[in-house]
Amino acid sequence: MDHITFLVAVVIVTALAFDFTNGFHDTANAMATSIATGALKPRTAVLISGALNIGGAFLSTEVAKTISGGIVDDTLVTPGMIFAGLVGAILWNLLTWLLGLPSSSSHALFGGLIGAVWVGAGEHGVHFGKVVEKVLIPAVASPIVAGVAALLATYLAYKITARARQDSVTKGFRLGQIASASLVSLAHGTNDAQKTMGVITLTLISAGALGHDAGPPVWVIASAGLAIGLGTYLGGWRIIRTMGKGLTDIQSPQGFAAEAVATTVILTSAHLGFALSTTQVCSGGILGAGLGRRLAEVRWGTAGRMVIAWLVTLPAAALVGGVSASVVKHGGTFGTVVIALCAAAVAAFIVLTSRRNPVRADNVNDAHQVTVRTAAPTTVGTVA
């Protein structure tokens, strides 16, 4: 424990704070379609998802090892760089949550770390080959694979049940959604909680508390799982609204198909150590499910905004992480305090802004889009 300095402790707490934002930012990945179709009540959905996120954290550590010893050179990384990278990831998560955009928490984390290490240690501190192999290629391939598979699964689901009674079909697929959404939650815990495990493990390695290429200790696994589970239970209602109602009008066969496909893709990638974005996988699955139902409406404007968010997430988080790393590098402890205070102020502003137009469990299915009001409403009955 002699290696756990004050800065290391701050970084660990910040990493768990990111994990918490990752939880409520990505709740929609598992539960948006089940909530939209009525298969699960909103509060029940986030409770199940949170519990299974915790359980999923214990299933694998391959992705954590990719983070701690894959995309950056752990011999050159310092706790200050990791702190700066986490600041970039947290602020991007909060901003996109405010806007109701299901961007990638994973890419926000990767971007923040890459930007911070690049500024702090130079470009040789980043393993760009690994970034391409383990991050960028899966980022392009995974939503396409999920979308095509969900399209085919949805088409088959409607084809097979075409002559069955509609109420029986809806009831059966809603029951199936409870199982499929639960599996997505388990897979999300397996994939996303590992990223925070990897960051904390990287911090401990950089501080000399663990050897190079070490895996995450049990207490790191447990704390990361608990943080993401609590964040998930809080419920990222703004993004749940966008994914459940904003992309397409989801029916229970579509929801089941999208969730089953997402689970398969996420668990397979986690086993192989690919740190892909569960947000992109689930969004691709929902779009594919929308296209798989005849006459279904896909809201391409919302889909376009999501794709733009995906494209800018990594560089935007890298920019904030790089600027933060520069301040920490040249300012030392004072610089770290300045960045922490600035980040806290921005986070508080975002949270206060969100209260002007709240999205809660009781109104999450009321509208297609999340909007942010900058002034008091001038008409009665306006719904976000």
Side-chain angles (χ1 to χ4, degrees):
M1 297 299 289
D2 293 339
H3 296 282
I4 308 298
T5 63
F6 175 74
L7 179 57
V8 170
V10 168
V11 175
I12 292 173
V13 171
T14 307
L16 293 176
F18 164 78
D19 207 22
F20 182 82
T21 66
N22 191 167
F24 74 72
H25 193 280
D26 289 3
T27 307
N29 295 344
M31 291 300 174
T33 54
S34 295
I35 292 171
T37 63
L40 287 168
K41 293 181 178 179
R43 286 294 179 190
T44 302
V46 295
L47 177 60
I48 293 172
S49 186
L52 289 172
N53 267 209
I54 296 173
F58 289 88
L59 293 184
S60 173
T61 59
E62 291 304 315
V63 174
K65 292 175 182 176
T66 296
I67 305 298
S68 62
I71 64 173
V72 294
D73 188 340
D74 59 20
T75 62
L76 299 176
V77 173
T78 65
M81 295 178 201
I82 299 172
F83 171 74
L86 288 168
V87 167
I90 290 172
L91 292 182
W92 184 255
N93 267 0
L94 290 175
L95 177 61
T96 50
W97 163 76
L98 174 67
L99 299 175
L101 285 174
S103 68
S104 171
S105 297
S106 305
H107 291 174
L109 177 60
F110 300 147
L113 282 177
I114 290 169
V117 174
W118 197 342
V119 170
E123 64 179 61
H124 53 283
V126 181
H127 297 153
F128 288 102
K130 285 290 185 182
V131 171
V132 172
E133 175 191 351
K134 296 288 189 178
V135 178
L136 297 184
I137 291 177
V140 174
S142 60
I144 296 174
V145 170
V148 172
L151 186 155
L152 294 174
T154 299
Y155 174 79
L156 289 174
Y158 280 104
K159 192 75 172 177
I160 292 170
T161 60
R163 297 185 179 182
R165 290 176 54 188
Q166 187 60 41
D167 57 343
S168 298
V169 171
T170 299
K171 182 179 180 181
F173 276 110
R174 281 183 177 178
L175 290 174
Q177 273 195 276
I178 296 175
S180 59
S182 298
L183 286 173
V184 175
S185 296
L186 193 70
H188 181 260
T190 302
N191 190 75
D192 279 41
Q194 286 192 63
K195 292 158 189 172
T196 298
M197 294 178 210
V199 169
I200 296 176
T201 302
L202 180 61
T203 304
L204 296 174
I205 290 173
S206 68
L210 291 176
H212 296 296
D213 299 323
V218 174
W219 70 267
V220 172
I221 297 173
S223 59
L226 183 61
I228 200 170
L230 289 174
T232 299
Y233 177 68
L234 181 66
W237 305 113
R238 306 176 80 83
I239 299 176
I240 288 175
R241 172 180 288 183
T242 299
M243 289 188 71
K245 293 291 186 179
L247 284 174
T248 185
D249 292 321
I250 288 286
Q251 295 182 353
S252 53
Q254 295 168 285
F256 177 78
E259 290 161 358
V261 166
T263 299
T264 303
V265 173
I266 294 168
L267 287 178
T268 301
S269 68
H271 177 71
L272 296 174
F274 292 120
L276 54 71
S277 166
T278 55
T279 300
Q280 292 180 0
V281 172
C282 293
S283 298
I286 291 172
L287 281 173
L291 293 170
R293 177 165 68 92
R294 185 180 298 177
L295 301 180
E297 176 190 3
V298 174
R299 299 180 183 91
W300 294 108
T302 301
R305 288 192 293 274
M306 287 171 50
V307 172
I308 291 172
W310 294 353
L311 292 175
V312 302
T313 289
L314 198 148
L319 177 62
V320 177
V323 172
S324 301
S326 180
V327 175
V328 171
K329 180 179 179 180
H330 296 99
T333 301
F334 177 75
T336 302
V337 172
V338 168
I339 290 298
L341 291 176
C342 289
V346 173
F349 173 77
I350 291 173
V351 172
L352 290 174
T353 302
S354 73
R355 293 183 178 179
R356 294 180 178 179
N357 187 24
V359 181
R360 305 176 300 272
D362 58 352
N363 69 355
V364 69
N365 282 333
D366 287 352
H368 293 314
Q369 293 183 9
V370 172
T371 57
V372 179
R373 280 201 298 264
T374 57
T378 56
T379 59
V380 177
T382 300
V383 178

